[in-house]
């Protein structure tokens, strides 16, 4: 089955609230990445966290990684309507090379004004 | 300037036809990919080329044949199209050399929406 699984599948919040999305995976990884996909568009890379890192920040984004639980979370603080999109985690499995990313099915985030 | 471009954007065709999707990147990257995104938004890698050489070939029917005439282009040809081929196909690229983060970040095209009737 797929490597990454996001939770929840869908999330609806008000502008200004924080949004938290979770990702679980099954095997050891080299890194884990989060991508955003706006409706009808391609994916855009947001942030990468390595297997030896526990937390990364980028602007309003905060990513954590717990390799013992094989899980990651993406936190978007002070959300905006423009954050409405699908968010995917992707893992680079250990031993699989850094090119082969395994994606989950994504979390659909709706931020209401 | 579009970094990764795909043509066509939409493709509607009949079962049994043969069709091609083209991809070009102007980022100077060495590695290119094809992904398939199904109706449930699940994205799966199909192929990857590095400097025109096939490096990833997932379990994909041999009706799908990628071709890389040069490192800036990766085309996907599909023979004898089936209903189940209906999906969005994404091309992506990444840098083959350089800092790890540069190699590991993939840049996606806008997608080609294929509908097989």
């Amino acid at each position: 089955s797929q490597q990454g699984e996001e939770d929840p599948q869908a999330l609806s919040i008000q502008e200004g609230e924080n949004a938290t999305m979770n990702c679980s995976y099954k095997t050891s990884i080299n890194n884990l990445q989060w991508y955003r996909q706006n409706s009808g568009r391609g994916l855009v890379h947001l942030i990468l966290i390595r297997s030896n890192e526990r937390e990364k920040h980028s602007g309003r984004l905060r990513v954590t990684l717990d390799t013992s639980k094989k899980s990651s979370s993406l936190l978007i603080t002070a959300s905006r309507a423009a954050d409405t999109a699908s968010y995917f985690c992707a893992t680079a499995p250990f031993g699989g090379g850094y090119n082969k990313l395994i994606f989950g099915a994504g979390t659909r985030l709706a931020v209401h004004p | 300037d579009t970094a990764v471009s795909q043509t066509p954007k939409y493709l509607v065709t009949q079962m049994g036809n043969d069709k091609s999707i083209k991809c070009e990147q102007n980022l100077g990257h060495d590695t290119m990919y094809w992904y398939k995104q199904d109706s449930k938004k699940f994205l799966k890698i199909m192929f990857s080329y590095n400097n025109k050489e096939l490096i990833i070939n997932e379990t994909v029917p041999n009706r799908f044949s990628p071709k890389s005439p040069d490192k800036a282009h990766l085309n996907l040809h599909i023979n004898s199209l089936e209903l189940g081929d209906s999906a969005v196909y994404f091309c992506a690229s990444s840098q083959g050399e350089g800092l790890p983060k540069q190699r590991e970040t993939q840049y996606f095209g806008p997608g080609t929406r294929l509908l097989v009737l």
Side-chain angles (χ1 to χ4, degrees):
Chain A
S1 61
Q2 62 201 63
Q3 170 79 320
E5 295 184 4
E6 285 90 342
D7 167 54
Q9 290 187 338
L11 183 59
S12 181
I13 60 174
Q14 296 297 124
E15 247 185 344
E17 293 180 342
N18 295 341
T20 299
M21 289 159 267
N22 303 298
C23 170
S24 60
Y25 56 91
K26 292 181 171 60
T27 64
S28 297
I29 59 172
N30 286 321
N31 67 63
L32 185 145
Q33 304 179 38
W34 285 90
Y35 285 78
R36 184 187 71 217
Q37 183 181 31
N38 288 82
S39 181
R41 311 289 287 272
L43 280 74
V44 175
H45 181 264
L46 294 176
I47 197 165
L48 179 154
I49 187 166
R50 301 194 181 290
S51 59
N52 62 352
E53 297 175 312
R54 292 297 166 257
E55 189 171 313
K56 290 282 285 286
H57 295 258
S58 177
R60 293 183 297 112
L61 305 180
R62 172 177 168 253
V63 169
T64 61
L65 179 64
D66 186 336
T67 52
S68 66
K69 295 181 179 178
K70 292 186 170 57
S71 67
S72 173
S73 67
L74 171 67
L75 168 67
I76 304 175
T77 60
S79 63
R80 305 166 182 169
D83 294 328
T84 295
S86 291
Y87 292 81
F88 294 85
C89 72
T91 52
F94 183 76
Y98 50 79
N99 297 106
K100 185 174 178 178
L101 291 182
I102 309 296
F103 284 82
T107 292
R108 294 184 305 281
L109 173 65
V111 182
H112 302 284
Chain B
D1 289 338
T2 304
V4 182
S5 59
Q6 297 179 226
T7 54
K9 189 172 182 179
Y10 298 97
L11 185 53
V12 181
T13 187
Q14 300 287 330
M15 258 183 10
N17 284 351
D18 302 339
K19 291 293 179 185
S20 291
I21 307 171
K22 295 186 177 182
C23 177
E24 176 181 3
Q25 53 92 5
N26 62 6
L27 297 167
H29 289 167
D30 297 311
T31 308
M32 296 184 72
Y33 312 79
W34 277 111
Y35 287 88
K36 179 181 179 181
Q37 186 174 44
D38 63 23
S39 58
K40 295 183 179 178
K41 302 298 184 184
F42 178 45
L43 194 70
K44 186 171 182 180
I45 190 167
M46 301 172 69
F47 303 102
S48 178
Y49 272 73
N50 181 264
N51 274 321
K52 302 193 297 176
E53 183 178 340
L54 183 67
I55 57 172
I56 296 175
N57 185 355
E58 291 297 287
T59 307
V60 177
N62 57 15
R63 299 182 294 102
F64 290 78
S65 53
K67 284 187 173 52
S68 183
D70 55 62
K71 73 174 192 178
H73 296 84
L74 180 62
N75 303 323
L76 183 65
H77 188 76
I78 315 170
N79 288 327
S80 303
L81 278 155
E82 300 177 356
L83 295 177
D85 298 331
S86 296
V88 183
Y89 292 84
F90 287 98
C91 177
S93 71
S94 64
Q95 200 162 317
E97 295 178 342
L99 295 173
K101 184 182 177 184
Q102 293 172 313
R103 297 196 304 262
E104 294 161 334
T105 300
Q106 297 187 16
Y107 295 80
F108 282 77
T112 294
R113 284 144 191 83
L114 171 65
L115 178 60
V116 182
L117 302 174

